[in-house]
Amino acid sequence: MKNRILSTFMASALSIGLCQAQVAEDFKPSSLNQPGQEYPMVNSQGYARFKIVAPAADSVRVSLGLGGKGGTKLAKAEDGTWMGTTDGPMDEGFHYYNVKIDGGKFNDPGTLNFYGSVRWESGIEIPAKDQDFYALKNVPHGHVQQVLFPSPSTGTSRRAFVYTPAGYEKGKDKYPVLYLQHGWGEDETAWMNQGRANLIMDNLIAEGKIKPFIIVNTYGMTNEVKFGKIREFKIEPFQTVLINELIPYIDANFRTLANKDNRAMAGLSMGGMETKMITLNNPDVFAYYGLLSGGVYAPTDITDKSKVKLIFLSCGSKERPDGVKKAAEELKAAGFNAVSYVSEGTAHEFQTWRRSLYQLAPMLFKK
């Protein structure tokens, strides 16, 4: 028995050693690091490595890690720094994370911050095999500008970010508009920062794959709800902001094709929920609908199919792809132009939504 236990222990230790030996030591600083900061780092396999300077701490843990394991526990080195590597490769693309030092939650001073989880959080980029479609390239670039639009319904001015294609400032053409919503816990900065929507558009336009259009992002929360209370969210206040205040402002201040057939709405996660409710409530405002990890439409949801030019449904392969595929098939069988897309190897995260926008954009505003 003792020999059997010893053999099992040695085999386990050997297995662990082999797994550790398989981690490639080609770590490089994350592309989202603060200037001059070496950590966090990522390697060619998708592992992430962290280093935190906290010499007086008793425990340091990074929230990012493989699912169900509580993140990555860092070990203290002789110089007082804490280091650790994820137990395995992470999904490709962007991830939020934070650092817990002796139970307190902090951001990693080595990397940039992004608004998500209802706070500014650290961000890390795991290089993706298909990252070329959102890479910064030597192509004509559009502009992303902040606008403050009056909102009588909320008694203040509200903020939106507007992407206009390259050449907009010098031309006279009018453009279609996509109103693109963020997810719960994020804000109007998410699609351009985490999602890289402007670079996706620049590259698609430069390659001649899409008809240029404007993108508008605004904050989708008009009645704040806490985590786990999303069912308490009421669409009416935000619907008023979008339909009665923001869209008229955009049409009055930008060269838009101000009609239903040249207007689309899409959103990720909670933004998809908003998209579904607002498009169904306002069939004469939008002709193109997109739900990105944000639920599905049923044929019975829509009373007049002639008013809908496209329904786009997407999610990651680690979410519930069968539901998205089935919903699209049912819509097609009922006579709708419906398309489903599944991002392979990703979950409820921005790589799924970057890929979704890349797929959706060429389908919009087809004559």
Side-chain angles (χ1 to χ4, degrees), residues 47-93:
Y47 286 77
R49 179 169 289 171
F50 305 92
K51 181 177 183 180
I52 302 296
V53 179
D58 293 319
S59 68
V60 178
R61 184 184 293 268
V62 173
S63 64
L64 189 66
L66 299 187
K69 295 188 177 181
T72 301
K73 189 174 182 179
L74 308 191
K76 193 172 186 178
E78 292 183 0
D79 63 358
T81 61
W82 295 76
M83 292 191 65
T85 304
T86 55
D87 288 340
M90 306 302 300
D91 288 349
E92 296 178 338

Side-chain angles (χ1 to χ4, degrees), residues 133 140 163 165 178 192 196-207 210-215 357 361:
F133 76 87
Y163 166 86
L178 166 63
M192 297 302 167
R196 304 193 182 180
N198 57 318
L199 298 182
I200 293 172
M201 290 291 293
D202 291 342
N203 293 337
L204 282 170
I205 293 170
E207 293 167 9
I210 65 170
K211 177 179 181 179
F213 56 85
I214 294 169
I215 294 180
L357 177 60

